[in-house]
Amino acid sequence: IARLLAAARSRARARQRAQLQVAAMDIKLMAGDRLRKSQKEAMQKVFRYVTMHSEDGKALRLEKGEQPLLRGEDLPRLLRGCGVALLDKELPILISEVPDEGMDFKEFTKFFERIAGERTTVKEDGVVSALSALDITGQGRLDPTILRDFLVEFGSGMLEEDVLMILDPMPRDKLGKISCAELAAHLARGPIGVQKT
């Protein structure tokens, strides 16, 4: 029994690592741009993972050979995995665009190209200002634990692993704090992964 439990834990950790690897993407498009082949291939991995591991545990079960379908409630997680930051007011509008029967990958890529082209670029100085509101010491540095808790609690339903994917690669000072300016630059640049290749 102990071996079975250890094997199950190992598989679960491998799935979590795979999720973090495929979710670390940054796909920036200008209005009218189309996804490149390499971007579509990377995005398809995230799409498949999210559709097969629905947050509410009700992934659409597929017969062999059928294409997975994206459910509206999983759209925010997929968009975050593709490097798209969402505002609370945007969520209901975007989710309502997903048909009740779901959206296949081809439909999602067209949807993504449209919304990514409509979005404005994040400005670093605006992010620094927002982060500074959390900096109670005024030193321009944040405790990653407090930042993680804040983002999980108030970050539009961000999952803890999504937040850790953002915070883990950030350099720390001697006290373990993260620079607001460096974090803002990282957030404005987007996660390391698929760029314009």
Side-chain angles (χ1 to χ4, degrees), residues 16 19 22-23 30 48 53 66 83 111 124 182 186 193:
Q16 287 174 337
Q19 177 188 10
V22 297
M30 301 302 287
R48 183 150 189 89
H53 298 88
E66 286 184 327
F111 173 82
E124 281 184 44
E182 288 179 20
H186 177 69

Side-chain angles (χ1 to χ4, degrees), residues 2-194:
R3 285 185 195 159
L4 291 173
L5 287 173
R9 284 189 204 110
S10 176
R11 284 191 302 274
R13 282 192 297 274
R15 277 194 307 272
Q16 287 174 337
R17 281 192 303 275
Q19 177 188 10
L20 293 177
Q21 287 171 353
V22 297
M25 295 185 358
D26 177 32
I27 299 176
K28 303 285 186 206
L29 298 176
M30 301 302 287
D33 282 356
R34 297 287 174 241
L35 291 163
R36 291 179 174 83
K37 183 179 177 183
S38 61
Q39 291 172 321
K40 284 184 180 180
E41 289 169 354
M43 184 183 279
Q44 192 163 24
K45 291 177 186 176
V46 180
F47 182 89
R48 183 150 189 89
Y49 185 89
V50 170
T51 56
M52 300 306 289
H53 298 88
S54 182
E55 281 187 18
D56 64 4
K58 296 180 183 173
L60 299 172
R61 299 291 173 223
L62 304 172
E63 296 297 324
K64 192 171 183 173
E66 286 184 327
Q67 295 297 315
L69 297 175
L70 177 69
R71 295 161 39 112
E73 52 268 19
D74 294 320
L75 180 65
R77 187 173 183 206
L78 178 58
L79 290 174
R80 281 195 310 268
C82 294
V84 176
L86 300 168
L87 300 174
D88 285 338
K89 64 183 180 181
E90 294 176 300
L91 286 173
I93 297 164
L94 294 176
I95 290 171
S96 71
E97 294 185 38
V98 178
D100 290 340
E101 63 275 6
M103 180 184 285
D104 67 17
F105 181 69
K106 187 176 180 179
E107 293 168 323
F108 175 73
T109 57
K110 289 178 183 175
F111 173 82
F112 184 87
E113 288 170 343
R114 181 179 56 80
I115 67 160
E118 294 171 354
R119 304 185 66 77
T120 57
T121 307
V122 176
K123 303 287 186 232
E124 281 184 44
D125 49 349
V127 177
V128 171
S129 296
L131 292 172
S132 295
L134 299 174
D135 177 20
I136 58 173
T137 64
Q139 296 177 338
R141 305 190 90 53
L142 295 170
D143 182 316
T145 305
I146 292 171
L147 185 56
R148 181 199 67 214
D149 293 345
F150 178 80
L151 290 172
V152 168
E153 184 69 27
F154 302 106
S156 300
M158 288 182 76
L159 300 174
E160 186 169 353
E161 55 262 25
D162 294 337
V163 174
L164 292 175
M165 182 181 66
I166 295 167
L167 298 180
D168 282 350
M170 295 302 305
R172 312 287 205 274
D173 67 9
K174 294 176 187 172
L175 299 174
K177 294 187 176 187
I178 297 172
S179 161
C180 291
E182 288 179 20
L183 181 57
H186 177 69
L187 292 172
R189 222 178 17 254
I192 297 168
V194 177

